[in-house]
Amino acid sequence: MPPRPFLATLLLLVVLAPDAHVAAETVESAASEATDCEIGLALGSGGAAGLAHIAMLNVFDELGLRPSRIAGTSIGAVIGALYAAGLDADSIETLFAEFGGSGLDALSRMIDGDNGLGLRDVLNLDLEHGGLIDPEGFIEFLATHTEARDFGDLRIPLEVIATDYWTGETVVLDEGPLFEAVEASMAVPGLFSPVRRGAHMLIDGGTTRPLPLDRLRAGCARVIAVDVSGARPRPGDQAAAEFSDLLFGSFELMQQALIADARFRDPPDLYIKPEIHDVRLLHFNRIESVLAQSAPAAAELRAYLEAHRNEQGPDGANR
């Protein structure tokens, strides 16, 4: 029989999916509308496929540019927060390579603790608090790589996207404790524990806003959106999808529908979708494969930035 948290997740997906497109927005702190924002960068939700964001940030680094503002959901919030705190793309890659450890399946490592990092200490079972895994150790691991603790410590303005479980509304976090916000944004229902913040019980922002490109339109000359919502590999004709693949694949379907709607309503200036295959939600050990598969998308971003380089303002100057 499948674990209860996975069944709870499946039920949540069924409940959320029909209404997600009409979710209202709750802003904990109204973000200031920048008047000198040259490039707003939206980093989307997508689990380990979101390691592709590192390849996109590496393009900014190599060109000596930087986004003026960042909005991130789930893995996009994780990587966006590290980058906004001052880590370059190479440092973020090294961090995730260290975390990924061996080539074993990431979820098995998380549960069994079979990892060079001692993942039993990094991710603990947390069934009593609404999740299969308690990510507190992972959050602490991230925090050890930067001195930033609050949104006010960041070098690049950042918005982190989460969802209020009780109301179904998007919650935009842009002040207060940084890594608490990141933990909330990545709280995949049934997998990671929700985060209580004030009156909110926060879960993964991907349930309502997997690619927060609309958060950057006001005040930004150009918006670049990176969609890492993934693809579902088709098994052989006689093979059925595994339970976990079906579960999280359904989550991806919901996200892709939301992203399509967001793009229709508010098209970004550049939409990038790296083609990432054979990478599941928690396959962080496959970072080399993800980055290699991201190369064509990174080349597309490079061409765009080089074509518009002469228009770049102070926020895009060499760091």
Side-chain angles (χ1 to χ4, degrees):
M1 179 177 180
R4 289 180 180 274
F6 284 127
L7 293 177
T9 305
L10 182 60
L11 178 60
L12 181 62
L13 292 176
V14 172
V15 171
L16 284 178
D19 298 322
H21 69 284
V22 296
E25 175 180 297
T26 300
V27 181
E28 270 207 1
S29 175
S32 60
E33 294 187 0
T35 57
D36 58 351
C37 174
E38 291 293 334
I39 295 179
L41 180 63
L43 302 178
S45 170
L51 295 172
H53 291 318
I54 299 172
M56 306 307 127
L57 295 175
N58 189 55
V59 173
F60 280 91
D61 289 348
E62 290 180 349
L63 294 178
L65 304 173
R66 71 174 183 180
S68 308
R69 291 165 54 193
I70 299 173
T73 299
S74 199
I75 185 63
V78 174
I79 293 176
L82 294 171
Y83 194 72
L87 274 69
D88 60 20
D90 285 341
S91 298
I92 298 172
E93 179 182 347
T94 299
L95 184 157
F96 276 97
E98 179 185 350
F99 173 72
S102 70
L104 300 175
D105 177 80
L107 180 56
S108 296
R109 293 202 318 276
M110 289 178 179
I111 296 174
D112 299 335
D114 183 10
N115 182 276
L117 290 174
L119 254 162
R120 186 180 300 278
D121 298 322
V122 176
L123 292 162
N124 304 304
L125 292 177
D126 193 33
L127 299 177
E128 295 181 359
H129 297 93
L132 179 64
I133 299 169
D134 178 1
E136 182 177 352
F138 173 62
I139 295 298
E140 291 177 354
F141 172 74
L142 295 177
T144 61
H145 290 77
T146 174
E147 296 181 358
R149 293 293 179 268
D150 190 276
F151 279 88
D153 299 327
L154 299 177
R155 300 183 184 183
I156 301 174
L158 171 72
E159 292 185 354
V160 169
I161 309 301
T163 299
D164 187 327
Y165 172 77
W166 300 118
T167 66
E169 296 177 345
T170 295
V171 177
V172 178
L173 306 171
D174 63 357
E175 67 175 8
L178 175 64
F179 287 100
E180 179 186 75
V182 169
E183 181 179 352
S185 185
M186 59 174 271
V188 177
L191 183 61
F192 297 114
S193 307
V195 173
R196 294 188 180 276
R197 182 160 170 155
H200 302 295
M201 186 168 80
L202 301 176
I203 61 173
D204 194 318
T207 57
T208 55
R209 192 158 300 186
L211 186 61
L213 56 94
D214 61 306
R215 294 298 309 165
L216 300 165
R217 178 56 65 190
C220 286
R222 295 189 300 280
V223 174
I224 297 174
V226 185
D227 177 4
V228 292
S229 56
R232 292 159 302 286
R234 183 185 297 273
D237 292 338
Q238 303 303 317
E242 296 180 3
F243 178 80
S244 60
D245 288 341
L246 183 62
L247 180 66
F248 295 116
S250 299
F251 192 46
E252 287 177 344
L253 278 171
M254 181 188 73
Q255 291 182 322
Q256 288 165 0
L258 292 170
I259 290 170
D261 181 61
R263 289 179 61 201
F264 175 79
R265 288 184 289 104
D266 191 11
D269 296 280
L270 177 64
Y271 169 77
I272 300 176
K273 185 172 176 59
E275 294 296 327
I276 308 299
H277 302 282
D278 300 321
V279 175
R280 297 181 181 180
L281 182 74
L282 298 174
H283 275 169
F284 290 100
N285 58 294
R286 300 188 180 179
I287 183 170
E288 292 184 5
S289 174
V290 173
L291 295 179
Q293 294 183 65
S294 303
E300 180 182 359
L301 174 60
R302 179 185 295 276
Y304 178 86
L305 290 175
E306 288 179 337
H308 293 84
R309 191 164 189 170
N310 290 337
E311 304 171 21
Q312 196 72 22
D315 281 337
N318 292 347
R319 283 190 272 188

